Amino acid sequence: MSVPLLDVRELSIRIPRGANGYAHPVRGLSFTVPRGETVALVGESGAGKSSVCSALMGLLPAGAKQGGSVLFDGKALRPHEVRGDRLAMVFQDPLGSLNPYVKVGRQLSEVLEVHRGVTGRAARRAAIEMLERMGVADADQRFDHYPHQMSGGIRQRVVLAMALLVEPELLIADEPTVSLDVTTEAQILELLRDLSHTRGTSILYVAHEPAVIAHTASFLHVMYAGRIIESGPTERVLAHAAHPYTRALIAAVPHIDGDAPPVPIAGNPPEATAPDAGCAFAPRCALARSACLDRVPRLEELADQHRSRCPVVLEEMA
């Protein structure tokens, strides 16, 4: 069996919260990203997804404590040694990711200067070629524009180009389409699929709801309150969801045929400072029993790499 490019084992993150002690956004998270594959982390805001990304990039806030282990290409991950070169990230807000006072061409060229020693005309040519690959029309003119002169979709393409200029082995995409219209979102997702298929780029894709990555990720992990509560091949999880939270996420998404209206998920996710006791989803779950409050359920194997953390549903399916 080949070694996965990224291997996260029992990752735990604690962040200081003043007099309130620590927030605990990630609690014993384990997953892998195989080479050339796209893996998704899905869940509501507050599930811990962005904290995972920050930990992988070495961008956790001062005072944060990180436990467990993260292996990159079989070795302990040292973000400062691979960040921006072998490991790159696209953030949620493309405008916030770009310097508003510097033309995008200069920002793109700087990546090549720092990581590849390419300067001058060669850097400009490579940057424009990458913008063209990302579907940016009139790339040679866009090169000399400031971020505010571009639409959100073009800015997102620029940020993708910046991340991919040095051909990273792993791209972390933290909800890169959250602020885009449906058409532009589909175009960005198609670009990411093409990157994975044609260039062998591994992608860790973070999203709020499963439908976004239905045709993009081969494997899906659903996160809730800092834990993976269901995981498996994307098609299987979407077709045979085995956790009430996963089912609720799917039901909350509007369907294009309009036959089934979206059903909002009642209640709110727990705070990251909440104690670690029982099933975190129990207060919002119609299937919850008193036993659900006693201990944190284990992630149990169903079939075909499909696992779930809900014993109630597992009993029903047995």
Side-chain angles (χ1 to χ4, degrees), residues 92-143:
Q92 296 180 17
D93 177 17
L95 185 58
S97 302
L98 296 167
N99 188 328
Y101 302 105
V102 180
K103 293 179 179 179
V104 297
R106 174 57 192 150
Q107 297 185 60
L108 288 163
S109 300
E110 187 176 38
V111 173
L112 290 169
E113 292 176 10
V114 172
H115 295 287
R116 291 292 181 268
V118 179
T119 60
R121 292 182 179 178
R124 178 187 177 95
R125 184 168 58 253
I128 291 174
E129 288 177 356
M130 181 58 73
L131 287 175
E132 291 173 342
R133 289 185 190 177
M134 295 298 102
V136 176
D138 302 318
D140 56 336
Q141 297 178 34
R142 296 289 190 183
F143 184 90

Side-chain angles (χ1 to χ4, degrees), residues 204-223:
L204 177 61
Y205 195 102
V206 173
H208 267 93
E209 45 93 0
V212 171
I213 48 76
H215 304 292
T216 303
S218 58
F219 209 86
L220 169 64
H221 300 285
V222 181
M223 281 191 69

Side-chain angles (χ1 to χ4, degrees), residues 259-304:
D259 291 340
V263 180
I265 306 175
N268 297 301
E271 294 290 334
T273 52
D276 197 13
C279 175
F281 188 62
R284 308 172 71 186
C285 181
L287 300 180
R289 303 172 181 172
S290 58
C292 297
L293 304 176
D294 294 339
R295 60 182 177 84
V296 176
R298 293 182 300 177
L299 202 56
E300 302 282 359
E301 186 84 21
L302 289 170
D304 301 326

